[in-house]
C-alpha cells in the first residue's frame, strides 16, 4: 500500500506525538517540522513549509491548551490559537491543501451534553473562545475537516478527579486512532470523536486507582459540566 504523506503541526504535543508513533500502522508518513522551523504565529514560515510540502493534507494540532493560563494570558492564547490557525488556513487555501483542524469539546457550554455536530457552540473560557474562533475560520474553507475531541495523555495527570463533570474524553492512545481514521478517509465538514459518556472520575479510575473524587464546587475556575459528544456518526 502506498505511504501517504501528511503535514502535521504540533507534532511534539500530546496528540501529535501519539499520531506519529502510530503512523506506521496506517501507512502514513508525517512531515512535522519543529516550532523553530515552522512557528504557526509567523505567516511566512507557515507559507514556506506548506508551499514545499508535496502531499495534499495538512493536520493542524498545534495550540495553546492550558485553560487556566489562557485566563491570565488571553492575547497569547489568541495569538497562537487564532492567528496561528489563520496562517495555516491561508496557506492551505493558497496551495490547495485539505485542512484538518483539531478543535475541542469546550466549544460547548456544557449545559446539556450529548452535543451533535450541528448544535450551536457557546464557549465559556478564553481557551474555548480562541479555539471556537479558530474553528469558525476553518469552517469558511470547504476543503476542511473540523474534529472536535478531547484527551489526556496515557496517564491521568491529576491526583483528584471530578465526579460531576461528564465528557467523551479519553486517553490519547484511544483517541489518536479514531482521529487518524477520520483523516485518512478524506472526510470534510465537522466530526465528533470520543468515547462513550463518562464522568472524569470514571475515566481517571481506569488508569489511576488512587485518584481522589472531588466535586465541581471545589474548583477555583468555572468549567463546563457536560461536554459529552454525540459520536455515533464516527463509528
Amino acid at each position: 500500500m502506498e505511504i501517504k504523506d501528511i503535514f502535521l503541526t504540533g507534532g511534539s504535543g500530546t496528540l501529535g506525538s501519539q499520531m506519529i508513533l502510530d503512523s506506521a500502522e496506517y501507512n502514513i508518513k508525517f512531515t512535522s517540522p519543529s516550532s523553530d522551523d515552522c512557528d504557526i504565529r509567523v505567516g511566512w514560515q507557515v507559507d514556506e513549509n506548506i508551499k514545499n510540502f508535496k502531499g495534499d493534507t495538512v493536520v493542524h494540532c498545534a495550540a495553546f491548551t492550558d485553560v487556566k493560563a489562557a485566563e491570565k494570558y488571553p492575547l497569547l492564547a489568541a495569538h497562537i490559537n487564532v492567528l496561528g490557525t489563520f496562517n495555516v488556513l491561508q496557506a492551505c487555501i493558497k496551495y490547495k491543501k485539505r485542512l484538518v483542524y483539531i478543535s475541542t469539546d469546550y466549544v460547548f457550554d456544557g449545559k446539556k451534553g450529548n452535543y451533535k455536530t450541528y448544535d450551536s457552540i457557546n464557549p465559556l473560557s478564553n481557551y474555548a473562545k480562541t479555539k471556537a474562533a479558530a474553528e469558525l475560520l476553518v469552517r469558511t474553507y470547504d476543503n476542511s475537516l473540523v474534529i472536535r475531541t478531547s484527551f489526556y495523555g496515557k496517564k491521568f495527570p491529576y491526583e483528584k478527579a471530578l465526579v460531576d463533570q461528564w465528557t467523551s474524553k479519553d486517553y490519547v492512545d484511544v483517541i489518536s486512532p479514531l482521529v487518524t481514521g477520520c483523516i485518512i478517509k478524506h472526510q470534510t465538514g465537522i466530526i465528533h470523536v470520543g468515547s462513550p459518556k463518562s464522568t472524569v472520575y470514571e475515566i481517571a479510575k481506569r488508569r489511576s486507582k488512587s485518584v481522589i473524587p472531588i466535586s465541581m464546587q471545589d474548583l477555583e475556575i468555572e468549567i463546563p459540566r457536560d461536554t459529552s459528544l454525540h459520536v455515533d456518526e464516527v463509528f
Side-chain angles (χ1 to χ4, degrees):
M1 184 181 295
E2 182 180 355
I3 294 177
K4 184 172 181 60
D5 197 7
I6 294 176
F7 190 92
L8 175 68
T9 71
S12 62
T14 302
L15 178 60
S17 59
Q18 185 65 41
M19 290 170 65
I20 292 171
L21 190 65
D22 297 340
S23 60
E25 297 180 30
Y26 298 92
N27 291 298
I28 292 173
K29 175 190 173 186
F30 283 110
T31 298
S32 187
S34 70
S35 58
D36 290 334
D37 296 321
C38 186
D39 186 333
I40 62 170
R41 297 171 295 179
V42 182
W44 70 264
Q45 285 191 5
V46 175
D47 185 275
E48 193 71 16
N49 275 273
I50 293 178
K51 175 184 177 181
N52 293 328
F53 172 64
K54 303 304 180 186
D56 60 6
T57 298
V58 173
V59 178
H60 181 35
C61 284
F64 186 104
T65 60
D66 189 325
V67 176
K68 196 169 183 179
E71 297 301 312
K72 188 174 182 180
Y73 306 108
L75 287 180
L76 177 60
H79 200 190
I80 296 171
N81 290 347
V82 184
L83 177 61
T85 300
F86 173 80
N87 288 335
V88 174
L89 170 65
Q90 181 172 241
C92 286
I93 294 173
K94 183 177 180 181
Y95 300 112
K96 297 180 171 58
K97 310 292 186 183
R98 172 172 165 259
L99 173 57
V100 179
Y101 172 68
I102 306 301
S103 189
T104 174
D105 54 356
Y106 268 34
V107 298
F108 298 111
D109 58 21
K111 292 182 179 178
K112 74 180 190 75
N114 195 35
Y115 289 100
K116 297 176 175 61
T117 56
Y118 52 79
D119 281 333
S120 297
I121 62 175
N122 184 32
L124 299 180
S125 66
N126 285 338
Y127 160 71
K129 289 171 183 175
T130 59
K131 290 292 289 183
E135 176 184 302
L136 290 173
L137 282 174
V138 172
R139 287 166 60 184
T140 65
Y141 182 39
D142 288 340
N143 193 20
S144 70
L145 173 64
V146 170
I147 299 178
R148 295 184 183 134
T149 190
S150 191
F151 46 85
Y152 299 108
K154 292 183 180 179
K155 297 180 179 179
F156 190 75
Y158 310 111
E159 295 180 354
K160 302 176 182 179
L162 293 163
V163 297
D164 52 357
Q165 185 190 34
W166 286 265
T167 180
S168 296
K169 196 171 188 174
D170 213 319
Y171 296 97
V172 69
D173 51 314
V174 176
I175 295 297
S176 174
L178 303 177
V179 170
T180 301
C182 296
I183 293 168
I184 62 179
K185 289 178 183 176
H186 291 279
Q187 292 171 286
T188 57
I190 305 172
I191 285 180
H192 287 172
V193 169
S195 291
K197 178 176 176 177
S198 302
T199 66
V200 173
Y201 181 70
E202 288 169 334
I203 298 167
K205 287 290 285 184
R206 293 181 207 155
R207 298 191 182 182
S208 177
K209 302 303 180 185
S210 62
V211 69
I212 300 168
I214 59 168
S215 172
M216 288 186 68
Q217 66 185 15
D218 300 322
L219 300 180
E220 297 177 358
I221 60 173
E222 180 184 2
I223 59 174
R225 180 173 292 277
D226 186 348
T227 57
S228 58
L229 303 174
H230 181 77
V231 297
D232 288 348
E233 64 260 43
V234 176
F235 301 106

